[in-house]
Amino acid sequence: MPLESRPNIIVFFTDQQRWDTVGCYGNPMGLTPNLDGLAAQGVRFENAFSCQPICTPARACIQTGKFGTETGVFRNRIPLAKDEKTIAHYLKDAGYETGYIGKWHLAITRDRPVPAELRGGYEYWLAADALEFSSNPYAGVLYDSDNRAVRFEKYRVDALADFAVDYLRTRTREQPFLLYLSFLEPHHQNDRNRFVAPDGYAERLTELWVPGDLIPGTGDWEESLADYYGMCRRIDENFGRVLAELDHLGLRDETLVIFTTDHGCHFKTRNDEYKRSCHEASIRIPLVMQGPGFRGGKVRTQLVSLIDLAPTLLDVAGLPVPGYMHGHSVLPLANDEPVDWPDAVLIQVSETEVGRAIRTRRWKYGVVAPDKDGWNDSGSEVYVPKYLYDLEADPVEKVNLIDNPAYQGVCGRLAAKLQQKMAEAGEGAPEIVKR
C-alpha cells in the first residue's frame, strides 16, 4: 500500500467505561450523541470485550497484541519491558508519526516522568504514567517529550482534548499519524475514592437509567452513577471537539477514528472494587470505528477483543501482522469479507484472583485457581470451575449454573474450549478439576 494512501489513526481511549453508557449500545439517556453519530457512519462492534479487565494489563495487550501472561504484565505495577515491540514501533518504522497524550500506565513511574525507553516507541509525548496520581479532576501535570512538566488547571477531560486539538493544529509533517489519546475518566479518582463529574453535570441527571446487573443495596452505584454518567457525557462532548477539529482541518475522510476503553465497571457489586472480574459489567466494552475501511453505519456481532486491536491497526496501515500476535484484524469483518472468525474470546483476570473465562455468544464459563495468589501468580496448572452463565436467559448474570447437574455437559464442552484458548495464548492447557 503506498504510504500516501495509509490513513491517519486516532485512538480515543477512555478508562473503565461500561458499554451500556453509550446510546448506540442501548443507553436511553442521550449521553453520547457524538459517538452515536460516529457509529451511524462507521462500524459498531456489538460484542466487544476486554481481554484483561485491569488497567495496565489491558493496555499492554493493546500495545503488543499479546496476552499479559506472555508480556509478563499480568497485573498492575508491572512495567512493559523495554524490548517489547508495540504498535507504535511498527507504524513508526512504516513512516507514521506516532503520538501519545494522557494516561500511559505501562512504565510504573506513577507521578514521575516516563523515561524515553519506557514510552513504547511513541515519538510525540505528552503524558503521565499514572494520571490519577499526577492530577486531580481539575488540575494536574503531564510531561512532554523532554520530560518537562506541562500543567493544566481545568477539568481533566477538557485539558486532554485541548492538547489533542493543539497537536492536530500544529503538526508540520506530511506523513500519516497515529495519535493515541488516553483519558482517565470515567475511572474513579483514587485519592477521593469516588467518581467526579464536571461541576453541575451529575445534578442535571435526575432520572437515571439503571443497568439490570446493579441491585439496590449492593456496591456503591447508587451514590456514584450520576457522576459516572456525567463523566461519560463530558467525554462525549470532547470527543465531538476532536471530530470537529478533524473536519476543520480537512482530515476527517483520511483518518480512522477508534473509540474504545480498557474495561468496564461493576461498582463493587461483584467484589470489593470496580473491575477485576469476568462479568459482563467488567469485560464488555464499546468499540466503534469510522474512517477508511470502516464506513456505512454497520453493526458487527462477532465476538471481538482488545487483543484484536494491534492486528487491526497494522492491517489498516498496510503492514503484515506478526504471527505471534494472538488477535485478528477486524478490517475484513467491516468490509463483509468472508473470514473464519473465532467463536469465543479469552479473558484473563488477576489481583483479586487467578482466574480465566471464555465468553461465547451464549455462555460465560469461568474457572479460578484457589491455591494461587492473584497478585503474585500469573497463572496455574490447575483450576476449578467457578461460574457458568446462560447469557441468553440471564444477560445480567444473576443465576450461576455451575453446580446445576443439567448443565454439566455444557461445562465440559466449555472447559475444553477454555483449555484450547489458553493453550493458544501460550499458557498451556491446564487441568480443570471438578469442585
Side-chain angles (χ1 to χ4, degrees):
M1 181 185 295
L3 183 61
E4 59 270 17
S5 68
R6 293 174 178 173
N8 305 312
I9 302 169
I10 294 181
V11 181
F12 195 100
F13 193 72
T14 64
D15 191 324
Q16 200 167 289
Q17 184 170 3
R18 293 172 62 112
W19 92 100
D20 56 9
T21 60
V22 178
C24 60
Y25 284 92
N27 187 291
M29 297 188 63
L31 302 174
T32 57
N34 292 297
L35 181 53
D36 299 340
L38 189 85
Q41 301 171 5
V43 179
R44 177 171 66 87
F45 294 89
E46 174 69 19
N47 295 300
F49 301 93
S50 176
C51 49
Q52 171 58 296
I54 303 173
C55 292
T56 300
R59 285 163 169 74
C61 292
I62 293 168
Q63 295 296 329
T64 65
K66 297 161 69 174
F67 283 96
T69 46
E70 281 195 300
T71 62
V73 186
F74 68 91
R75 59 163 170 80
N76 286 337
R77 301 190 190 178
I78 297 177
L80 185 65
K82 299 176 184 178
D83 59 355
E84 283 287 354
K85 197 161 184 179
T86 69
I87 52 177
H89 289 119
Y90 281 106
L91 268 65
K92 181 171 62 175
D93 290 346
Y96 273 73
E97 177 183 335
T98 57
Y100 199 99
I101 297 173
K103 175 178 174 176
W104 178 237
H105 219 203
L106 286 170
I108 320 305
T109 59
R110 288 174 72 89
D111 58 348
R112 293 176 286 110
V114 175
E117 65 272 16
L118 292 179
R119 297 176 190 163
Y122 287 91
E123 301 168 293
Y124 178 88
W125 185 261
L126 188 58
D129 187 61
L131 189 56
E132 53 266 59
F133 294 108
S134 74
S135 64
N136 65 55
Y138 275 95
V141 63
L142 301 174
Y143 298 95
D144 68 11
S145 299
D146 296 317
N147 276 334
R148 294 172 298 197
V150 177
R151 301 190 180 278
F152 61 89
E153 294 186 3
K154 58 171 54 179
Y155 194 64
R156 189 165 42 208
V157 177
D158 301 348
L160 265 61
D162 284 349
F163 293 136
V165 168
D166 185 64
Y167 169 84
L168 294 172
R169 288 176 178 171
T170 59
R171 287 185 66 251
T172 58
R173 303 186 193 178
E174 293 298 322
Q175 71 260 47
F177 64 86
L178 163 67
L179 176 61
Y180 204 109
L181 178 55
S182 177
F183 294 87
L184 176 63
E185 282 74 13
H187 192 287
H188 60 287
Q189 179 64 33
N190 292 51
D191 60 351
R192 302 186 186 185
N193 195 31
R194 72 179 189 88
F195 298 86
V196 183
D199 291 341
Y201 272 57
E203 292 77 5
R204 298 176 200 169
L205 302 174
T206 56
E207 294 186 13
L208 300 180
W209 175 77
V210 180
D213 62 288
L214 302 181
I215 303 171
T218 65
D220 67 356
W221 65 268
E222 290 173 287
E223 59 264 36
S224 301
L225 195 57
D227 274 279
Y228 185 77
Y229 281 161
M231 297 163 85
C232 293
R233 181 71 180 103
R234 188 62 157 254
I235 287 168
D236 187 76
E237 291 171 352
N238 280 281
F239 182 57
R241 291 178 55 213
V242 174
L243 295 179
E245 189 61 27
L246 289 174
D247 287 331
H248 176 72
L249 296 171
L251 296 175
R252 186 70 174 274
D253 288 344
E254 59 196 69
T255 301
L256 171 62
V257 179
I258 301 172
F259 185 107
T260 193
T261 191
D262 54 355
H263 51 73
C265 181
H266 60 65
F267 295 101
K268 299 185 179 181
T269 58
R270 299 294 185 171
N271 52 43
D272 61 2
E273 50 81 70
Y274 292 103
K275 56 260 189 183
R276 296 177 178 86
S277 87
C278 294
H279 296 88
E280 295 288 278
S282 295
I283 66 167
R284 194 168 175 186
I285 57 174
L287 177 60
V288 176
M289 302 184 183
Q290 190 274 331
F294 294 85
R295 303 192 194 277
K298 303 171 185 175
V299 177
R300 292 293 175 261
T301 60
Q302 290 88 347
L303 305 169
V304 302
S305 165
L306 288 181
I307 206 73
D308 298 316
L309 277 190
T312 299
L313 295 189
L314 298 189
D315 193 16
V316 165
L319 302 175
V321 178
Y324 68 78
M325 288 189 176
H326 293 296
H328 305 269
S329 170
V330 301
L331 185 58
L333 297 182
N335 288 280
D336 304 303
E337 298 174 16
V339 58
D340 184 17
W341 196 259
D343 60 358
V345 293
L346 170 68
I347 304 102
Q348 300 178 332
V349 67
S350 63
E351 299 194 11
T352 55
E353 63 186 20
V354 177
R356 302 291 184 266
I358 56 167
R359 177 28 161 108
T360 72
R361 285 186 177 273
R362 179 174 180 179
W363 303 103
K364 172 81 61 59
Y365 173 78
V367 299
V368 65
D371 61 336
K372 298 294 184 180
D373 180 87
W375 188 258
N376 296 311
D377 299 314
S378 65
S380 178
E381 295 180 353
V382 180
Y383 291 85
V384 298
K386 184 178 181 179
Y387 47 81
L388 172 71
Y389 295 107
D390 182 349
L391 298 171
E392 288 184 0
D394 177 29
V396 293
E397 299 171 306
K398 292 185 178 179
V399 181
N400 186 354
L401 302 170
I402 198 67
D403 292 322
N404 189 319
Y407 291 89
Q408 294 314 296
V410 174
C411 288
R413 292 192 295 274
L414 293 172
K417 174 71 73 174
L418 176 58
Q419 290 169 316
Q420 174 191 341
K421 299 294 286 187
M422 291 175 68
E424 292 172 356
E427 291 199 70
E431 182 181 3
I432 299 176
V433 299
K434 293 183 179 180
R435 296 195 297 174

